[in-house]
Structure formats: structure tokens, C-alpha cells
Amino acid sequence: MSGPRTLLSVLEPVVQHGGDGPGKPDRCDGIQFDAIAPDEKGKVHYFKDGYIWNSFRGPSQLSSEYFRDLSGRVDAAFRMHNTENPDNHDHIYVFQGDKVSSYFNQSLEEGYPKGIQEEFPGIPNNLDAAVECPKGECMTNSVLFFKGNDVHVYDIATKAIKMKTWAHLPVCASALRWLEHYYCFHGHNFTRFHPVSGEVNGTYPKDARHYFMHCPNFGHGGDRTAVKCSDIKLDAITTDDAGRTYIFTGPTYTRLDTHRDGLHAFPIVRGWKEVTKGVDAVFSYTNKIYLIKGDQVYIYKTDTHFTLVEGYPKTVKEELGIEGHVDAAFVCPSEDTVHIIQGARMHDVDLSATPRVVSQGVPLPLSGIDAGLCGADGIKIFRGSHFYKYASPMILAMSRIAPFPVKITSAMVGCED
């Protein structure tokens, strides 16, 4: 189903080296950042010796030119995740010595700076790093404060602190939560870790210049130009019960619900390590995601880190009662029926029934379908660089003439209009 291009080329535009001037720190020299934190718009800020870079690309500037009243070296910074308190949710907290400042929309909040003990009682001064950890990734909405190998896990609601020592983890000079993963930066390298256990999986450390900024002669995939929206071709798309939307093309997947933190493509094996050769169709149901490739279906629990359900993969015939190649599949919210598209026919499978109950199938006004998605605004059927909108599965099944095709746009997947 997939063409030679992947969405990686769509969502990672070419970026240019910042060309920092004389006397300014150059992050491509392999420096150690003092702090890293995203703001309320998802823009990632890198702090070093009174200077700041405001994205993955571009030159540095004095931090005081961007954040009013901020000058000098920063010890640590993080973006608050506290949806229950809109007064500080998404604010950036910046730590310097024994003081902490709160910024929103680049402006210092009234009453700041404050003493760290006043704002975060029990947290030490002169921190090394800090990073937010929302409930679901940590036990409660929390902040991880790093000093040496000690980690102070601060419960935002109760102000309780749990102490941990992660001697296996390098001393973090800065830390970042990005797309639900956690990174400890040390020197010009980074190590990804689990926010509860501190566990490190995979081969680390890695050079940050390959992944978190653009530098000449660095990069984990080379420069890419944005692909025209007219060239887009999806393999699959789904939204899970947590509202996370994924698109799949070739060997990569991309989260579409994280526009604020940027659209970025990753190898499918990063999220679903057993699925090594792309997918044909994907759908979500009861906190699980079903990935279909060939005659196999893989079912994963949709927790923070996808876990393959024991006993899988199974054949599509065994799991869904369907034989033959699956082109697309989707489940509508609060329903128990997966709609399976094969060629120009759609079958309905009752997922609440054991064994599965499969409908005879109905003809569709379209063939060559790549993917399907059902949400509160109806159904989108994707074919090439266009999609077709239907109000409901019933309308789709009853239609004999395809509606007017709608072009896939940059607002949807980050391509170039």
C-alpha cells in the first residue's frame, strides 16, 4: 500500500545551522545544556550560560531578550503539567540557585521569583535538572528534581516527596519530557530513561546533535525536504481511547495529536517492536490497538509503553474471522464493530462476540482504499492524497456514488500544500 516515500520525509523539514555569532555558545560544538524545557506552545527552549535557543533550529539569543527579567545561568527548568490548576498549568518554571521563577507567554508571573522552599518545599537549591511527569506516566502529577544521582519525586497536589537514587543513570545536567518519553542530557549526549524506575533500555548514551538539533554532519536520517501534500499516501490511521492519533506509512508512524510538540516520524518498531515490516491496517478498541500485517494481527495494550498481549500475533482469520488481504479498518467511538475494507467491499465484525460474527459485506463506491478513521465528526476514507467524508458507517454502506474528494492538507499531516 505504501509508496517509496515515508512520512519521515514529510514531517521533518530541512533545518539550517544557526550560525551563532562570536562570543555566543554554539550547540553544535558539543556543549552541555544547563536546562531544556518546552513552553505552553510546545516550543522547546535550550538554556546555556545566559543564552537560549528557542527551537530545534536557529541561532541563540540572550535569555533576557526572550524571557523578560531572566538573566544569568539557569540551573533547571520544566513545563508544569497540572490540568487541575489552570493558574500554573503549562507555565515554565526556571530555577536559579535558591530561587524559582514562573513564566507564561514569555512573561514573568506576578510574585516571582520566589524561594524554592516557598514554592516547592523540601526541594534542594542549586538543582541539576527537573522534568514534569503527568499522572499515567508517573503515579500522580509529579515533578522529578535531579541533584547528583538523587531524584526527588515531588507530588504536585500533596507536596509529598519520594527520594530515589539512580546511580546507574548519568548525572543529568538537564532533562526533557518529549512525546511521552524522558531524556537525561549529560555532556553533549542523552540517555532515555523510565520516569518511575529510572530504567534504561536500548543503546545509550547517544549524541544529542543527531536528534535534538540540526548541526552540519549530524543527523539520524539526513536532511529532508517537505513532501507535497499531493504525494501523501497513508497505510493506516487510528485514534486510541486516550485520544492519541497515529498515522502509519512505510516503516514509520507519527503522532498527529501532538502538533504542539511538533510532528515527528519514528520507526514503527520503536512503538511496536514486534511489527518490523510496516502495517496494512490498524484500529483501536477497548484500550488496545490492533495492527494488521499480511495474515497476522498484533494486539497491544495502549498504556504508555505498548505491550503485546500474550499469545499474539494470531492470524486474521483466527482473531477476526476474515480471510484475505485487509486494506483498511476502523472502529467508531463507543461501538463494538470493526469495519473491515477489502477491495471495494466492507465487512462488519462484532468484536463483542465470541466467536466473531462477520457480516456478508456490502459494496462500496470506492476501491483502492488506503486507510479509514472514524471519529466524532464522522468517517474519513483515505485514498492517495485525498479523503472522502461520510457521516456514519451506515451512510458509507448505503452510498453508491462517492462524495467529492477532499485534499489532504498540511494542517492534517504537516505536508507542504
Side-chain angles (χ1 to χ4, degrees):
M1 296 170 59
S2 167
R5 286 182 170 177
T6 71
L7 204 62
L8 193 61
S9 62
V10 177
L11 301 177
E12 293 192 359
V14 172
V15 291
Q16 302 300 324
H17 177 42
D20 295 291
K24 292 184 177 182
D26 185 346
R27 55 182 167 181
C28 292
D29 286 342
I31 64 175
Q32 175 170 280
F33 295 107
D34 298 329
I36 304 175
D39 64 15
E40 69 282 354
K41 298 180 180 69
K43 183 182 293 186
V44 178
H45 302 285
Y46 301 78
F47 299 83
K48 179 66 177 180
D49 292 338
Y51 288 87
I52 187 172
W53 294 264
N54 295 318
S55 69
F56 294 97
R57 68 190 81 173
S60 63
Q61 64 184 109
L62 287 170
S63 54
S64 58
E65 294 175 353
Y66 191 82
F67 289 106
R68 193 191 328 165
D69 302 317
L70 177 63
S71 61
R73 184 184 182 277
V74 169
D75 296 328
F78 74 92
R79 180 178 68 189
M80 176 67 77
H81 183 92
N82 188 14
T83 54
E84 297 175 0
N85 184 1
D87 290 338
N88 64 12
H89 178 62
D90 274 349
H91 290 213
I92 289 185
Y93 284 78
V94 178
F95 297 80
Q96 296 176 292
D98 63 352
K99 302 295 184 183
V100 59
S101 298
S102 174
Y103 288 87
F104 188 77
N105 196 24
Q106 301 175 228
S107 297
L108 183 67
E109 292 293 291
E110 185 177 354
Y112 290 89
K114 296 180 179 180
I116 292 177
Q117 294 305 311
E118 179 184 356
E119 189 77 357
F120 300 98
I123 297 303
N125 300 331
N126 304 307
L127 290 163
D128 289 325
V131 65
E132 72 280 6
C133 188
K135 183 178 180 180
E137 298 169 30
C138 283
M139 296 300 293
T140 63
N141 285 329
S142 305
V143 182
L144 309 183
F145 292 101
F146 296 80
K147 187 159 186 175
N149 290 122
D150 292 333
V151 182
H152 302 70
V153 183
Y154 183 89
D155 186 311
I156 294 170
T158 67
K159 301 186 184 299
I161 298 173
K162 292 183 180 178
M163 286 290 300
K164 300 181 180 182
T165 299
W166 290 344
H168 63 283
L169 196 66
V171 174
C172 303
S174 56
L176 173 68
R177 173 184 177 263
W178 187 60
L179 300 181
E180 299 172 357
H181 292 290
Y182 292 77
Y183 301 90
C184 164
F185 290 80
H186 43 96
H188 61 268
N189 296 318
F190 70 91
T191 297
R192 200 176 94 185
F193 65 94
H194 192 284
V196 176
S197 65
E199 182 180 4
V200 176
N201 290 312
T203 303
Y204 291 95
K206 295 180 180 179
D207 195 317
R209 291 171 290 184
H210 285 294
Y211 298 86
F212 288 93
M213 63 203 78
H214 183 269
C215 295
N217 303 316
F218 288 90
H220 62 293
D223 289 342
R224 298 173 178 87
T225 56
V227 171
K228 295 287 187 180
C229 293
S230 59
D231 294 332
I232 296 297
K233 181 177 172 65
L234 306 185
D235 288 340
I237 183 169
T238 191
T239 299
D240 67 18
D241 292 340
R244 297 174 293 205
T245 300
Y246 303 87
I247 54 176
F248 298 79
T249 183
T252 67
Y253 78 94
T254 301
R255 283 273 301 276
L256 289 186
D257 60 296
T258 54
H259 283 75
R260 188 178 70 166
D261 292 329
L263 293 172
H264 301 272
F266 299 99
I268 291 173
V269 293
R270 172 173 171 169
W272 303 275
K273 62 181 180 181
E274 293 83 6
V275 183
T276 58
K277 296 182 179 179
V279 299
D280 294 325
V282 176
F283 66 90
S284 300
Y285 178 67
T286 61
N287 293 311
K288 298 181 181 67
I289 186 168
Y290 293 63
L291 286 79
I292 298 172
K293 179 62 177 179
D295 65 349
Q296 300 288 301
V297 58
Y298 301 77
I299 302 180
Y300 289 83
K301 298 176 182 177
T302 54
D303 47 21
T304 302
H305 304 282
F306 291 100
T307 305
L308 185 66
V309 173
E310 185 176 355
Y312 287 85
K314 293 182 179 180
T315 65
V316 175
K317 172 66 174 176
E318 181 182 4
E319 178 63 28
L320 299 175
I322 291 286
E323 293 187 274
H325 180 79
V326 176
D327 293 314
F330 60 90
V331 176
C332 293
S334 303
E335 293 190 3
D336 298 315
T337 299
V338 58
H339 306 278
I340 302 287
I341 296 175
Q342 296 178 294
R345 295 187 69 83
M346 182 172 71
H347 297 270
D348 292 347
V349 180
D350 186 348
L351 295 172
S352 66
T354 304
R356 303 300 193 205
V357 177
V358 184
S359 71
Q360 288 186 348
V362 295
L364 298 177
L366 296 167
S367 60
I369 293 169
D370 298 320
L373 179 68
C374 185
D377 59 345
I379 296 169
K380 294 182 179 71
I381 298 297
F382 294 85
R383 186 173 69 172
S385 60
H386 293 77
F387 67 93
Y388 302 79
K389 295 189 68 173
Y390 293 89
S392 68
M394 180 180 295
I395 298 298
L396 172 60
M398 294 175 61
S399 297
R400 294 298 173 262
I401 300 176
F404 188 79
V406 181
K407 292 181 180 179
I408 296 174
T409 67
S410 59
M412 296 175 65
V413 300
C415 51
E416 185 177 284
D417 289 325

